[in-house]
Amino acid sequence: MDYNGVYEGYAIAFEAKSVSIDRFDLKNIHSHQIDYLQKVDALGGISFVLIEFRSSKQVRFLQFGITCITLLWAVGREFQKKILMFMRMR
């Protein structure tokens, strides 16, 4: 985990990733990282992933929980497929 801490009584955990292109491959997030973020979320903490897209100089914030990243990860693990999340910069 890139950061663990507490802010105003809330546990906070996030994973920071950086890619050189404008898409993020979910294989860049390991299962132990997803498991940890899920645990923080389930206990009422704040967990998220920060993704830097260097080519477009953008940073995206994906809060953990019942979001696209959680669902895509679950589907990818179940069927052992490589899933790509394409994020077009605007």
Side-chain angles (χ1 to χ4, degrees):
M1 200 52 41
D2 288 318
Y3 178 82
N4 292 325
V6 177
Y7 178 73
E8 294 188 4
Y10 289 96
I12 297 176
F14 70 83
E15 188 63 41
K17 300 293 182 181
S18 181
V19 292
S20 61
I21 54 179
D22 283 346
R23 75 171 185 251
F24 182 75
D25 190 335
L26 288 178
K27 76 176 182 177
N28 293 329
I29 303 177
H30 303 284
S31 61
H32 71 277
Q33 295 168 326
I34 294 292
D35 292 340
Y36 187 81
L37 292 173
Q38 283 178 324
K39 288 176 185 174
V40 171
D41 183 67
L43 293 170
I46 301 165
S47 57
F48 55 94
V49 177
L50 287 176
I51 304 171
E52 174 194 28
F53 295 92
R54 290 190 306 269
S55 63
S56 59
K57 298 179 183 172
Q58 299 272 333
V59 175
R60 296 291 183 203
F61 167 92
L62 297 172
Q63 187 167 357
F64 209 78
I66 304 302
T67 62
C68 63
I69 196 165
T70 309
L71 297 174
L72 286 174
W73 178 262
V75 169
R77 254 175 59 180
E78 181 179 338
F79 297 106
Q80 299 178 358
K81 292 180 182 177
K82 181 178 174 183
I83 296 176
L84 297 178
M85 235 173 50
F86 293 95
M87 303 183 82
R88 300 306 304 159
M89 299 301 121
R90 294 177 190 208

